[in-house]
Amino acid sequence: MRARRIAVAGAGMAAARFAQQLLAHAAPGTVELTLYGAEPDGPYNRTLLTEVLAGRYDGDAICLPRGRGAEIRTGAEVTAVDPTGRTISLADGSTARYDALVLATGAEPVLPPVPGLCGPGGGRLGGVHTLRALADCRRVADGAGRAGRAVVVGGGVLGVGVARALTARGLPVTLVHRGPWLMSRQLDSGAARILTAGLAALGVAVRTGTEVCALRGTGRVTAVELPDEALPASLVVFTCGVRPRTHLARAAGLVVREGIVVDDALATSAAGIHAIGDCAEVHGTVHGLSGPAWAQADVLAARLSGAGPDARWPGSRPLVRLTAGPLQLAAFGPPGDGAADTCDVLRVADARQGTYKKLVLRGDRLESALLVGDLSAVGGLIHVWRSDEPLPADPLDLIRTSS
């Protein structure tokens, strides 16, 4: 009996996890698995790119296992999908057949329409970067070695990590964020104050509640214009979020909204085609985090290997963690500013120690939590939150031991 041909468009974190789990559960000789990656590098842990930029790891140190027996084709971008003929086309002009196709195409950085972003030839101004791939990391590191000052635009998780990494390389850095405070999707104002103070101690200047109006420079960037000042800069990194890569699915006629629409079996609108990770939209949500992507990969691997043919995606309760040198934080659930009247909020903050701990309680259940500067209690809190266990009589016991 011929082995089932399973093709994966993408060779990132979700694809590598899927490959590892599929081959761990499939009977020998029953599947023929190929990952087609557009990047020149094999699968790696994208969440550690800022640690590579900081010099803590090299590129080889963040490689991911991808399952023994998987074929990895790097520099082999999938350019078209034919759902009827069950074939894919590659950038080199070749084609390949599949019995099942997994779209794990990830996401791409968003660049805001800033005047001066492009140089005279229409390409991006020299010294201006995004950070999504290992190749981007190498370019930013190379630019940092020749730069005098850096500006990071976007104060989310990635922006905070990039700012810290560039200061570790000895650059003066300004972090610009349009929101009222850093990581405004995950943190409340109190947690963000502690984070901002921690960044200032590392040498990062923070500008919040403002936007980039334009870039200056001819050929190479020389300054970033804000409404009330111009920041000298020979290196600018935009970390303004990402959007799902959906062009393959859209061109193939699949249903696409923000992401590639899949059901709780991770199946798209076309027979034999599935989607996981940052490109997938499940029940109206694109998660964009590694935890949900790996969980989706596990479910699909169970289905396609035959180990769990009825496995379903149960949804996710995303957790955000950041470890950037001495800066540590964890956030899960809504940040809790303006929590409902039915919620109680407990806070323990110590500005001198640079710690902030907050619990949002709904009855005797943990609705959400924020920890900045001290994560010693995070394991117990996550267990209580995910298992929906009743809280102890004094909920502060969950964090008091680490205060």
Side-chain angles (χ1 to χ4, degrees):
M1 183 177 178
R2 180 177 64 81
R4 190 180 187 198
R5 294 170 298 197
I6 300 178
V8 183
M13 293 180 67
R17 176 75 175 197
F18 169 77
Q20 183 184 37
Q21 295 299 305
L22 179 80
L23 294 172
H25 296 299
T30 59
V31 297
E32 180 184 299
L33 176 64
T34 306
L35 276 60
Y36 298 90
E39 295 184 40
D41 301 287
Y44 56 86
N45 189 334
R46 200 179 305 276
T47 66
L48 294 176
L49 283 178
T50 56
E51 296 301 304
V52 174
L53 181 59
R56 183 180 177 190
Y57 300 125
D58 61 24
D60 292 339
I62 65 171
C63 290
L64 289 172
R66 69 292 301 264
R68 183 174 300 175
E71 180 183 358
I72 312 292
R73 294 187 56 182
T74 58
E77 182 181 4
V78 177
T79 56
V81 175
D82 177 3
T84 303
R86 298 209 175 193
T87 61
I88 55 175
S89 300
L90 306 178
D92 64 4
S94 64
T95 61
R97 294 189 176 276
Y98 67 82
D99 298 306
L101 173 65
V102 180
L103 299 176
T105 48
E108 58 193 1
V110 173
L111 276 172
V114 175
L117 181 64
C118 295
R124 193 185 302 170
L125 197 64
V128 178
H129 303 270
T130 57
L131 186 68
R132 181 67 183 173
L134 194 51
D136 298 329
C137 193
R138 297 184 183 110
R139 284 189 286 268
V140 174
D142 180 65
R146 296 178 280 107
R149 301 187 66 87
V151 171
V152 178
V153 182
V157 178
L158 180 59
V160 169
V162 169
R164 175 259 163 181
L166 292 175
T167 60
R169 288 183 167 269
L171 276 178
V173 179
T174 301
L175 177 57
V176 178
H177 185 55
R178 67 184 300 179
W181 57 76
L182 295 179
M183 292 183 60
S184 42
R185 291 186 178 181
Q186 294 88 20
L187 303 184
D188 66 7
S189 55
R193 280 194 295 271
I194 298 294
L195 175 61
T196 300
L199 284 168
L202 295 176
V204 178
V206 175
R207 303 282 191 275
T208 56
T210 190
E211 296 189 64
V212 174
C213 299
L215 300 183
R216 293 182 187 172
T218 302
R220 294 195 63 83
V221 65
T222 59
V224 174
E225 292 187 13
L226 305 183
D228 56 353
E229 64 179 318
L231 304 173
S234 48
L235 178 72
V236 177
V237 184
F238 281 91
T239 57
C240 301
V242 297
R243 65 170 64 90
R245 286 193 178 101
T246 60
H247 62 281
L248 272 180
R250 195 181 299 275
L254 277 59
V255 175
V256 174
R257 290 197 284 266
E258 180 186 359
I260 304 167
V261 176
V262 296
D263 59 18
D264 56 9
L266 291 314
T268 71
S269 57
I273 302 180
H274 313 265
I276 57 174
D278 293 354
C279 67
E281 178 179 328
V282 193
H283 302 314
T285 300
V286 177
H287 288 284
L289 295 169
S290 59
W294 282 11
Q296 290 171 10
D298 290 353
V299 168
L300 187 58
R303 292 185 65 87
L304 296 187
S305 68
D310 298 322
R312 299 275 171 174
W313 166 244
S316 176
R317 305 182 74 185
L319 162 69
V320 173
R321 292 187 66 161
L322 171 67
T323 301
L327 301 175
Q328 298 186 80
L329 64 86
F332 40 98
D337 270 10
D341 293 340
T342 55
C343 291
D344 296 312
V345 180
L346 305 178
R347 291 183 180 88
V348 178
D350 187 336
R352 292 173 300 176
Q353 295 295 319
T355 62
Y356 183 93
K357 302 164 189 175
K358 174 180 174 180
L359 306 181
V360 178
L361 318 177
R362 187 181 297 277
D364 64 350
R365 297 298 194 271
L366 181 62
E367 178 84 354
S368 65
L370 292 176
L371 299 175
V372 180
D374 177 8
L375 301 191
S376 57
V378 72
L381 287 171
I382 291 173
H383 172 76
V384 170
W385 177 64
R386 284 184 169 159
S387 64
D388 205 28
E389 290 182 359
L391 294 164
D394 185 354
L396 283 175
D397 287 344
L398 291 169
I399 54 177
R400 187 175 285 131
T401 56
S402 59
S403 300

